[in-house]
């Protein structure tokens, strides 16, 4: 069995829900060896497992990269909006006197 395939399979939302339904405990959820042993695992050919595992791993890497990019963009946005609110960052137009609001549709 290909380990990347197994990881992708066991981390699917459907399988995680199945496993969660068999966990016990309230403070710390536990899963017995017998409960995990009851989990059905669909096993395509080893070649297909390797393809699926490699593909899902690549998608996971892309998702992680996009999350990092989105987090960085959110941080830049927060800094820019703070700067706009403080009046230290402009949008490239003429300066607006402090305490006034500029509406390009009116001016």
């Amino acid at each position: 069995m290909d380990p990347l395939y197994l990881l992708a399979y066991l981390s699917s939302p459907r399988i995680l829900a199945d496993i969660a339904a068999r966990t016990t405990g309230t403070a710390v959820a536990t899963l017995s060896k017998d409960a995990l042993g009851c989990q059905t695992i669909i096993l395509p050919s080893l070649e297909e497992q390797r393809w699926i595992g490699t593909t899902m791993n690549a998608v996971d890497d892309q998702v992680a990269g996009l999350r990092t990019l989105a987090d960085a963009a959110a941080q830049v946005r927060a800094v820019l909006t703070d700067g706009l609110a403080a009046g230290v960052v402009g949008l490239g137009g003429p300066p607006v006197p402090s305490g006034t609001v500029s509406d390009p549709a009116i001016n």
Side-chain angles (χ1 to χ4, degrees):
M1 180 180 306
D2 182 74
L4 290 177
Y5 170 78
L6 183 60
L7 176 63
Y9 186 86
L10 291 176
S11 63
S12 74
R14 175 181 290 181
I15 300 303
L16 288 174
D18 289 347
I19 291 171
R22 289 194 293 276
T23 60
T24 59
T26 53
V28 177
T30 60
L31 181 64
S32 72
K33 181 180 175 183
D34 290 338
L36 184 58
C38 292
Q39 181 61 50
T40 301
I41 299 175
I42 297 172
L43 288 175
S45 70
L46 187 55
E47 180 182 345
E48 192 172 2
Q49 288 178 44
R50 287 182 180 138
W51 183 85
I52 291 168
T54 300
T55 301
M56 294 303 290
N57 192 52
V59 170
D60 288 344
D61 288 347
Q62 288 179 343
V63 168
L66 290 170
R67 283 190 177 132
T68 300
L69 184 60
D71 289 345
Q75 289 175 357
V76 168
R77 184 186 188 286
V79 168
L80 288 174
T81 55
D82 283 349
L84 285 168
V88 295
V89 173
L91 296 176
V96 177
S98 181
T100 65
V101 176
S102 175
D103 185 348
I106 297 173
N107 296 333

